[in-house]
């Protein structure tokens, strides 16, 4: 999320995520904004030694800012191009609490995984119970048959950052 209207606990969570990315020796690929959770995670990842790669559509630069001091920033033309470029560059997809853009991006990565466009893991970090309505949607969808059995292979719901990084580093 690039929102500025966030509680401090969400910003701290984003910083903790970025810090853990760096300490684990991973690279952060993200949406390129300097604002909100995106900016907090990118700065923390950079400060912890992670390479940071951001993709930001040119029409969002004036609105959200671009920070080349945290890593490489690539300006793209559209949101669709940003998603495609991030998907190509990433090894896994992680959604911490976020807004409509986060929901759009993570559901597309889940869909691509289910359809075989990629086989990279997708995680929802359910800190603060944030993703519970989506988890309930998935449960209900499986119950009535619009979401296939085995969906958990395509979208892994983890309780917190400890569980996420345990899974990411288990390989």
């Amino acid at each position: 999320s690039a929102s500025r209207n966030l509680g401090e606990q969400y910003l701290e969570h984003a910083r903790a995520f970025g810090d853990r990315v760096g300490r684990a020796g991973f690279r952060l690929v993200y949406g390129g904004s300097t604002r909100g959770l995106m900016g907090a995670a990118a700065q923390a990842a950079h400060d912890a030694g992670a390479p940071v790669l951001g993709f930001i559509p040119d029409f969002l630069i004036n609105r959200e800012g671009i920070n080349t001091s945290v890593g490489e920033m690539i300006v793209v033309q559209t949101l669709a191009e940003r998603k495609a470029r991030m998907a190509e560059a990433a090894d896994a997809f992680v959604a911490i609490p976020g807004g409509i853009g986060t929901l759009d991006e993570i559901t597309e990565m889940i869909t691509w995984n289910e359809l075989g466009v990629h086989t990279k893991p997708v995680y929802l970090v359910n800190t603060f119970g944030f993703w519970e309505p989506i988890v309930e949607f998935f449960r209900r969808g499986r119950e009535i048959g619009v979401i296939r059995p085995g969906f958990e292979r395509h979208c892994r719901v983890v309780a917190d950052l400890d569980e996420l990084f345990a899974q990411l580093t288990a390989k």
Side-chain angles (χ1 to χ4, degrees):
S1 174
S3 174
R4 293 184 183 178
N5 301 319
L6 299 164
E8 185 60 30
Q9 76 267 25
Y10 291 99
L11 289 167
E12 282 303 316
H13 185 258
R15 288 182 196 110
F17 170 71
D19 181 67
R20 299 277 299 262
V21 167
R23 288 190 293 121
F26 297 144
R27 173 178 71 167
L28 179 70
V29 177
Y30 83 115
S33 178
T34 62
R35 292 178 30 183
L37 302 178
M38 272 196 273
Q43 187 64 57
H46 172 75
D47 292 348
V52 176
L53 175 60
F55 292 95
I56 189 164
D58 61 355
F59 70 90
L60 288 179
I61 292 173
N62 289 336
R63 180 176 166 175
E64 296 184 4
I66 187 169
N67 185 357
T68 57
S69 70
V70 299
E72 182 181 2
M73 294 296 138
I74 298 174
V75 178
V76 297
Q77 296 303 304
T78 66
L79 290 169
E81 182 184 0
R82 174 167 79 174
K83 283 191 283 190
R85 299 281 301 271
M86 287 192 316
E88 182 179 307
D91 294 322
F93 307 101
V94 175
I96 61 174
I100 298 296
T102 303
L103 182 60
D104 170 59
E105 291 166 350
I106 204 68
T107 54
E108 187 152 355
M109 293 307 105
I110 293 166
T111 302
W112 288 6
N113 189 304
E114 187 172 23
L115 296 175
V117 174
H118 72 77
T119 58
K120 301 171 185 180
V122 181
Y123 296 92
L124 294 177
V125 182
N126 200 23
T127 306
F128 315 117
F130 184 84
W131 293 108
E132 280 307 311
I134 301 302
V135 171
E136 175 59 20
F137 168 80
F138 295 151
R139 185 199 62 74
R140 179 97 168 103
R142 283 191 310 272
E143 185 178 279
I144 65 172
V146 295
I147 294 179
R148 295 181 194 122
F151 175 77
E152 297 76 17
R153 291 189 316 271
H154 309 294
C155 179
R156 301 168 191 175
V157 180
V158 295
D160 54 30
L161 294 177
D162 288 340
E163 186 178 351
L164 171 70
F165 282 91
Q167 289 191 28
L168 289 174
T169 58
K171 297 177 181 181

